[in-house]
Amino acid sequence: MTFGGWPAEGLQPAVALPMGPVMELTRKDPLLAWLLGGTAVAVVLFATGLLPVAAAWPLVAVIHVFLVWVARSTARTSGLTAPIRRFWWSVAASGAIYLIGDLAQIGTTFRDPLADAAATGGQVSLAILALGSAGLMYALLTVPLGFGTRRERTRFWMDLATVMVAAVVVGWHLVAPELPNALLKVLIGPVLILLCVFVVAKLVMSGTAPFTLACGLIGAGAAAVKSGADAMAKDGLTAHQLHWYLAGTVTAHALLVIALRVNQIQLTGNAGRLRQARSKPYSLLPYGAVAVTYLLLTHAVVEHESTNVPIALAGAALSTLLVMLRQLSAFRENARLLGELDRKVRELHETQAGLRDSLAERDALAARLRHHAFHDGLTGLPNRSLYAERLDAAVEAGGPVVAMLVDLDDFKQVNDRWGHAAGDALLHEVGRRLTTCVRAADTVARLGGDEFAVLLAGAEDDPRDIAARMVQAVEAPIELAGFGTARVGVSIGIAVAGERTGDGDSLLREADHAMYAVKRDGKGSYAMA
């Protein structure tokens, strides 16, 4: 099985492949092996002068044919998003433009092989190469970077402008302005190189790069090699330098194709690896570019380079201004974010305060509901449920436990004479008087109607003495405001927990039997079960 004329076994997806193991891919991919081996051989042959100048541009043309094919094949890889696919089609178009420039340069070289333009490029080929580089740069710049706001996009373009200024200064320094076509060489050489480095770094940093990290690093290396070759031609080329210039030029173009082929191998069957997480929200390259402009300005002043000083000075001033504007934009954004953070903190505090209030209200409501559930609404005393709960707990715990059942005598007469309002007032007062006869740890409860109950847990006093006090306290006249004076009594049954006591209910039944015995014997007294 083949892929575009080359064996497909080399196109197995590489998982998490860093830059280092590129050589391992050469064992799996014959085309990559040919590119690396052919580049090495060409560098040796050109550097030693074994290949003539006329062979350089046909070799570059062949390299660009591979560039077009690899970019086209990558664009047709399954799983890519539409923007990434458009990017690789643009790269293929730029490679085709490069190829046209190569053909034009081949014609120039064969017409006059000894001319300087035969080695470094004529005006027509340089213009076409500049057009191809511009198309490649356009493809890089139009990749969606995932910026969410206008401020982010503005800061990106400020960073890009800063690098452009530094690139012009560097390019002017590397390519002497005395050379013909110096400005064109500056534009297609260092400027595009630094711009490519910046955009590649920005794309990789933003997690939206249409290529892998290994591809970006190898591509940046290709740009660096081309920059070195252009710098070598700054003051003209000797015969020896010409060979190294051609070796560097061929190497730069070959590295670009190698970068694209490595990217293609890594993406085949694993296109999702391009969806990376954003690592850093900023780039240090613009600040490095500013530092470079000042270094070049210092060098130009020290060396009295009158041609370079104005360019370096203007570049330093402009790049500093751009960085200042960039920082002011960042300061405004920071102030906005801090204001938004303060607002959110205030809202959080308000929410927390409201939550605390809500929790306090909930706790208070829960306490009220529990009180209503376990207390008598008329007297405020514990009701039957709470009394039974405490009685069962006391019996299970062991120790001395005394249960008293208290029933009012002659209560019906008060209701019949003055009505239920007077009866309610009487019950409230009886509950209060019973409570004064026991300790705070004891329980006085209203079971319902005119029936009360008392729980003595761990009492040291004789329960009959306590019952006697209750009888005496209740028999005292009770003043009912608006009605008159009422007299009632109580009949009390007392039950003490023993070894045969099963639970609270059985103990309360014993007290109930004793209370009815008091009723039968004439009321107003107490009896032990």
Side-chain angles (χ1 to χ4, degrees):
M1 180 177 179
T2 62
F3 181 82
W6 293 90
E9 58 269 20
L11 296 181
Q12 298 302 317
V15 180
L17 180 67
M19 180 62 181
V22 170
M23 294 304 297
E24 183 178 346
L25 287 179
T26 61
R27 295 187 294 104
K28 301 179 179 180
D29 183 66
L31 176 57
L32 186 59
W34 276 102
L35 287 172
L36 288 171
T39 301
V41 171
V43 169
V44 172
L45 293 178
F46 276 112
T48 56
L50 296 179
L51 280 180
V53 173
W57 290 103
L59 182 57
V60 171
V62 173
I63 292 173
H64 286 159
V65 169
F66 282 116
L67 187 152
V68 173
W69 178 82
V70 173
R72 174 180 173 275
S73 299
T74 303
R76 302 174 68 177
T77 301
S78 61
L80 298 181
T81 62
I84 295 177
R85 201 177 300 279
R86 285 195 299 270
F87 169 80
W88 286 108
W89 280 117
S90 299
V91 173
S94 297
I97 295 175
Y98 281 149
L99 183 58
I100 295 173
D102 298 336
L103 296 177
Q105 181 60 28
I106 291 173
T108 301
T109 301
F110 279 94
R111 282 195 300 271
D112 189 359
L114 301 179
D116 292 339
T120 59
Q123 293 185 3
V124 175
S125 62
L126 286 176
I128 297 176
L129 290 174
L131 180 62
S133 298
L136 187 60
M137 179 55 58
Y138 176 79
L140 285 169
L141 292 178
T142 54
V143 173
L145 297 177
F147 295 134
T149 64
R150 181 176 57 85
R151 293 184 179 90
E152 292 180 343
R153 290 191 294 272
T154 300
R155 287 194 292 270
F156 168 75
W157 286 110
M158 285 184 178
D159 289 346
L160 187 61
T162 303
V163 177
M164 288 177 64
V165 171
V168 170
V169 175
V170 172
W172 192 267
H173 186 82
L174 293 178
V175 183
E178 291 81 9
L179 290 176
N181 306 316
L183 182 59
L184 185 60
K185 290 179 178 290
V186 168
L187 290 177
I188 66 173
V191 170
L192 289 178
I193 290 170
L194 286 184
L195 286 180
C196 286
V197 170
F198 171 74
V199 176
V200 166
K202 197 73 174 181
L203 290 173
V204 172
M205 181 187 69
S206 66
T208 59
F211 42 77
T212 64
L213 178 60
C215 175
L217 293 176
I218 299 174
V225 172
K226 186 64 172 69
S227 177
D230 290 339
M232 187 183 301
K234 173 181 178 181
D235 298 318
L237 293 170
T238 64
H240 177 70
Q241 289 175 331
L242 176 61
H243 296 304
W244 283 104
Y245 171 82
L246 295 176
T249 300
V250 171
T251 300
H253 291 289
L255 283 177
L256 183 59
V257 180
I258 291 171
L260 268 59
R261 182 60 175 177
V262 169
N263 176 83
Q264 182 187 12
I265 297 172
Q266 291 178 318
L267 292 187
T268 301
N270 193 19
R273 68 177 299 155
L274 293 179
R275 293 186 283 273
Q276 309 165 10
R278 181 171 298 189
S279 57
K280 289 194 300 184
Y282 60 89
S283 173
L284 296 178
L285 187 58
Y287 301 97
V290 173
V292 169
T293 58
Y294 276 94
L295 287 176
L296 293 180
L297 174 61
T298 303
H299 179 271
V301 172
V302 171
E303 297 296 329
H304 302 288
E305 298 176 353
S306 58
T307 305
N308 291 336
V309 168
I311 299 297
L313 181 61
L318 185 55
S319 61
T320 302
L321 176 62
L322 288 171
V323 169
M324 290 176 59
L325 293 176
R326 171 69 164 80
Q327 290 301 107
L328 289 175
S329 175
F331 290 154
R332 286 195 297 269
E333 179 68 7
N334 291 340
R336 185 186 68 81
L337 292 176
L338 288 175
E340 185 175 343
L341 178 61
D342 290 341
R343 179 179 60 81
K344 291 186 177 296
V345 168
R346 287 195 302 270
E347 291 177 354
L348 178 60
H349 288 166
E350 293 172 357
T351 302
Q352 290 177 338
L355 180 60
R356 285 194 297 269
D357 293 342
S358 298
L359 292 176
E361 292 176 1
R362 183 204 64 183
D363 294 341
L365 178 59
R368 289 196 299 270
L369 291 175
R370 177 174 176 80
H371 187 273
H372 291 327
F374 293 100
H375 289 78
D376 178 52
L378 176 61
T379 63
L381 297 174
N383 60 13
R384 181 183 293 273
S385 298
L386 183 55
Y387 181 81
E389 180 182 306
R390 293 181 179 178
L391 180 60
D392 288 338
V395 172
E396 290 178 4
V401 178
V402 178
M404 295 183 179
L405 197 60
V406 181
D407 190 77
L408 291 184
D409 301 328
D410 304 323
F411 174 69
K412 184 175 182 300
Q413 297 175 8
V414 176
N415 269 345
D416 293 343
R417 181 178 179 184
W418 289 310
H420 291 288
D424 291 345
L426 177 65
L427 291 172
H428 188 277
E429 177 60 20
V430 168
R432 188 192 67 79
R433 292 186 182 187
L434 293 176
T435 302
T436 60
C437 297
V438 298
R439 302 169 306 164
D442 299 326
T443 300
V444 177
R446 182 189 177 207
L447 303 186
D450 59 353
E451 191 174 46
F452 294 82
V454 178
L455 170 62
L456 306 176
E460 298 178 356
D461 296 340
D462 190 331
R464 290 169 292 189
D465 294 338
I466 297 174
R469 289 200 300 268
M470 290 180 178
V471 171
Q472 184 179 2
V474 175
E475 285 180 347
I478 299 175
E479 292 293 335
L480 301 177
F483 299 103
T485 301
R487 288 181 179 274
V488 294
V490 289
S491 297
I492 303 175
I494 306 170
V496 180
E499 294 181 359
R500 293 182 297 175
T501 302
D503 54 19
D505 286 341
S506 61
L507 186 63
L508 195 58
R509 282 195 298 270
E510 293 179 14
D512 185 61
H513 294 325
M515 182 270 294
Y516 275 106
V518 174
K519 289 280 190 181
R520 289 193 301 268
D521 293 340
K523 304 179 183 180
S525 184
Y526 61 88
M528 297 289 292

